[in-house]
Amino acid sequence: MLIAVASGKGGTGKTTVAVSLALALAGSEKVQYLDCDVEEPNGHLFLKPRLETKEPVTVPVPKVDQSRCTFCGRCAEICAYHALAVLAGSVLTFPELCHSCGGCWYFCPEKALTPAAREIGWREEGWATERIAFTHGRLNVGVAISPPLIQAVKERRLSGAAAIIDAPPGTSCPAIKAVEGSDFCLLVTEPTPFGLHDLELAAEMVRALGIKSGIVVNRSDGRDQEVEEFSRKYGLPILLRIPLDRQVAAAYARGLPLLAARPQWREDFLALWEKCKKVACH
Amino acid sequence: MKIAISAPSKNPADPVDSRFGRCSFFAVVDADQEKWEFIPNPGASSGGGAGIQAAQELVKRGVRAVITGRVGPNAAAVLQAAGIKLYTAGGKSVQEAYRQFLNNELAPLTGANAMPHAGIRGR
Ligand code: SF4
Ligand code: SF4
């Protein structure tokens, strides 16, 4: 079972939900935490894993052999991302714009281009408590293309473990890359008009991917009228409401997980997991 | 010698477009023959790398000098590597900017003076 925890915008409590699920389940089964929010990974702040391995993640970008190049301009013409410019006596490359499609070195008539590795970030792995296998990615500063790093994190999926993905906020390529292929997606939202708008975008993204989903309302005031209307309109169940709680907020500020402040809520997260499983397999 | 001026339209009386990569047109003037031509900027509608695409087009057309407002780092890298001179002419009409260029009255630009993606509206 692979569950992605997503939200249309940052700061809704996505990591709080993902970490709480992991900690709640760890009492009874093998759990894996995959932090795919590679621009701002923060699951480790709460799970405090002992990281044992650290590997660079690279993508192929073109390298020019100027002595073979005839400056024909073909590569610049076919690159959809304008990551190459051909001048009279040189080829300029802009690796930060390259999407590694491979078109330029495939089509270069002189074989003057070859793929060279460009480091975009790091994948780190270890264990948080005995039962939670932990993997996260860290995107290098200034790198704009994160999906290959998200892919590298997801590749570490262990079969047989209950896996939880902390997805990047938003609804663009990185979020899609993180959520695709999961069995179920939890959409975390806050009961505010802004929160609702982003929830709608996230719900549409998940629907387009053909993944079943449900809503978690964070900092709920117990009424959440607008979220309830949304839930009815879209036919998406509200699976959990996390009340606005001073102790939880204080724990968060100190880098402590929600379940450290409110251990009695463990049952609620276990129930949440069961509900996800039920809807996913339905 | 060919000169390119970033323009919002095909009208030389309109002001110079301050965005290099995202302007709608380039007025390409062959100074030796006083021949004017307006070409659409291929970068205007591009998803990314607009400045590079615009610069590549001007390199292909043999332009030797560019008059514009703001240029991002990638476009500046292409133009400089190609030995194309850069000048700014904020607020002036395309025609007036061209005249001032011929009289050596325009301020030269030695590098990028805009952040990447600055020409995208809404940022
Ligand atoms: S396609 Fe190959 S030969 Fe042509 S300009 Fe590009 S690198 Fe040079
Ligand atoms: S690999 Fe693709 S995206 Fe990268 S420079 Fe070559 S053609 Fe462009």
Side-chain angles (χ1 to χ4, degrees), chain A residues 62 75-76 79-85 92-99, chain B residues 48-49 52:
Chain A
C75 52
C79 179
Y81 304 98
H82 314 297
L84 298 145
L92 299 186
T93 62
F94 297 90
E96 69 281 6
L97 297 180
C98 173
H99 282 56
Chain B
I52 297 171

Side-chain angles (χ1 to χ4, degrees), chain A:
Chain A
M1 183 79 177
L2 175 63
I3 291 190
V5 185
S7 70
K9 68 172 179 117
T12 56
K14 184 172 56 66
T15 301
T16 299
V17 172
V19 166
S20 303
L21 267 180
L23 289 173
L25 285 170
S28 52
E29 54 188 305
K30 196 165 132 196
V31 178
Q32 183 176 31
Y33 192 93
L34 300 165
D35 193 345
C36 290
D37 190 357
V38 299
E39 277 180 63
E40 243 172 294
N42 58 3
H44 64 285
L45 299 177
F46 301 98
L47 288 172
K48 300 183 176 59
R50 198 146 35 86
L51 296 173
E52 287 160 2
T53 62
K54 177 173 177 170
E55 306 151 86
V57 173
T58 65
V59 294
V61 297
K63 193 173 138 227
V64 193
D65 178 349
Q66 309 268 359
S67 70
R68 299 187 78 142
C69 175
T70 56
F71 313 105
C72 69
R74 188 82 207 274
C75 52
E77 266 161 31
I78 69 144
C79 179
Y81 304 98
H82 314 297
L84 298 145
V86 180
L87 313 177
S90 63
V91 176
L92 299 186
T93 62
F94 297 90
E96 69 281 6
L97 297 180
C98 173
H99 282 56
S100 305
C101 75
C104 56
W105 55 81
Y106 182 79
F107 284 108
C108 169
E110 311 298 333
K111 299 267 163 288
L113 295 176
T114 44
R118 172 182 189 233
E119 183 196 300
I120 58 165
W122 294 82
R123 178 173 68 192
E124 296 181 309
E125 274 186 310
W127 291 87
T129 78
E130 255 160 72
R131 281 172 180 269
I132 304 177
F134 182 95
T135 306
H136 74 183
R138 280 177 186 278
L139 196 67
N140 288 352
V141 176
V143 173
I145 295 160
S146 61
L149 180 52
I150 292 169
Q151 178 64 32
V153 171
K154 289 179 79 175
E155 270 165 18
R156 302 299 293 173
R157 165 96 199 273
L158 301 167
S159 59
I164 297 155
I165 285 180
D166 188 349
T171 49
S172 58
C173 299
I176 292 170
K177 185 83 208 167
V179 170
E180 72 181 2
S182 50
D183 300 309
F184 191 81
C185 182
L186 281 174
L187 303 168
V188 184
T189 189
E190 285 179 343
T192 63
F194 283 131
L196 209 68
H197 173 72
D198 293 309
L199 172 65
E200 190 165 351
L201 296 178
E204 270 161 22
M205 168 188 79
V206 174
R207 177 179 286 178
L209 288 170
I211 296 168
K212 288 181 186 163
S213 63
I215 301 167
V216 173
V217 187
N218 192 24
R219 301 187 196 101
S220 159
D221 58 7
R223 297 193 300 275
D224 318 323
Q225 221 177 55
E226 282 152 327
V227 185
E228 274 175 9
E229 270 165 37
F230 177 90
S231 158
R232 266 195 301 277
K233 199 172 119 205
Y234 274 72
L236 293 180
I238 295 177
L239 299 177
L240 180 69
R241 292 170 210 259
I242 304 171
L244 190 62
D245 185 287
R246 222 163 42 84
Q247 253 169 288
V248 169
Y252 183 89
R254 283 166 46 221
L256 292 174
L258 174 143
L259 290 186
R262 292 285 183 202
Q264 66 273 33
W265 291 358
R266 182 170 171 267
E267 295 304 322
D268 299 292
F269 281 95
L270 285 176
L272 173 63
W273 182 264
E274 288 307 318
K275 282 183 215 164
C276 296
K277 240 162 114 174
K278 224 164 114 191
V279 182
C281 301
H282 199 62

Side-chain angles (χ1 to χ4, degrees), chain B residues 81-96:
Chain B
I84 296 175
K85 297 246 161 26
L86 271 164
Y87 299 87
T88 55
K92 297 172 184 122
S93 74
V94 170
Q95 208 160 19
E96 176 65 6

